[in-house]
Amino acid sequence: MDTLLPKWGLKEKNDWLATQAIKRSYHEQVINQIHALDKQFTIKQYGALSYDAARYPLYVITTPDWHKNKPILLITGGVHGYETSGVQGALAFLKQEALNYIDAFNIIVAPCISPWGYETINRWNPHAVDPNRSFYPAANTPGINHEAEESRLLMQYLAGIEQPILMHIDLHETTNTDNTVFRPALAARDATPQKTWNIPDGFYLVGDSNNPQDAFQKTIIDAVQHVTHIAPADSENRLIGEPLSQFGVINYPTQALGLCSSVTNAQYTSTTEVYPDSPNVTDAICVQAQVTAIKAGIDYLINNHVSNSTNIQ
């Protein structure tokens, strides 16, 4: 049995923070792309991270001609800043596909929720807190979000959206460093042994065990497998330790875990997981897999939910 030191206090978190370094530019790789879209979309700054507000403004991009009778779709990326194709996939969707759907939908894209994590290639924020375990209703969990400012600011923005959100797709990656870097750090931070597992070789989805929407998930998997390979289950019919719900899909209790995909109570939700470390993919393939997943989800809604019933007159 491994011997663990006591869980981290402020000193240990500060020691960890001191080892982190800027490795890429949020401004150059993300903000510049956002502002280049200002002639086609509406760009809104919904906040800034207080530990460096000038460096880390936060943006949402929405479709023009917002109409109260159109269903709302939400796309989020970069909740874990180190998951690159989530950020770049959200931006690529805006460039490649979003305008094809503006007659039927209002679309909100938050492409990089954790810009410090993007720059330092980190899962956590500077306080060693995982933003994707921090999307809890503040009234029900006092104080739980105080160190996950990234999560809190997005929740505050979404609270101002009056209409219900129909679909939310949250774009993620599963990388080799989940086992080599993150889980050992989590074990040290919490002084709790952490299981590791084989990283799935391929794309997969995480649905909501309380609202799995199996046909919706299957449609996304069927589309993405034309872009990249779908992760096969392990010898126990599991992915990342969870039993397979269907080919390429596992389910989590997303709200209980405070996952971003649960934040809106949308009817249709999914978390994508791309595997960028596979020898069979490129960065471009990973980004296109994210775009394809979003497009497939929206096409499912058109064919099975909104159809011709949406009145936007």
Side-chain angles (χ1 to χ4, degrees), residues 38 48 69 76 96 112 138 153 178 200 210 234 287 289 299 305 313:
D38 64 358
N69 288 343
T76 48
Q96 297 175 19
C112 192
L153 288 170
D178 289 1
N210 294 317
D234 64 19
V287 168
D299 289 343
H305 185 95
Q313 301 301 318

Side-chain angles (χ1 to χ4, degrees), residues 46 76 110 113 135 150-158 260:
Y46 66 90
T76 48
I113 293 168
F135 285 92
E150 298 84 354
S151 310
R152 176 173 55 79
L153 288 170
L154 182 66
M155 287 190 290
Q156 288 175 350
Y157 166 76
L158 293 172
C260 182

Side-chain angles (χ1 to χ4, degrees), residues 45-60:
Q45 182 178 337
Y46 66 90
L49 298 178
S50 62
Y51 44 82
D52 196 336
R55 188 181 187 103
Y56 299 125
L58 301 168
Y59 294 98
V60 292

Side-chain angles (χ1 to χ4, degrees), residues 5 14 41 69 86 98 140 173 181 219 252 262 264 268 282 311:
L5 297 172
N14 286 338
F41 299 94
N69 288 343
N140 296 331
E173 294 181 343
V181 176
T219 296
Y252 273 173
S262 73
T264 65
Y268 297 95
T282 62
N311 177 11

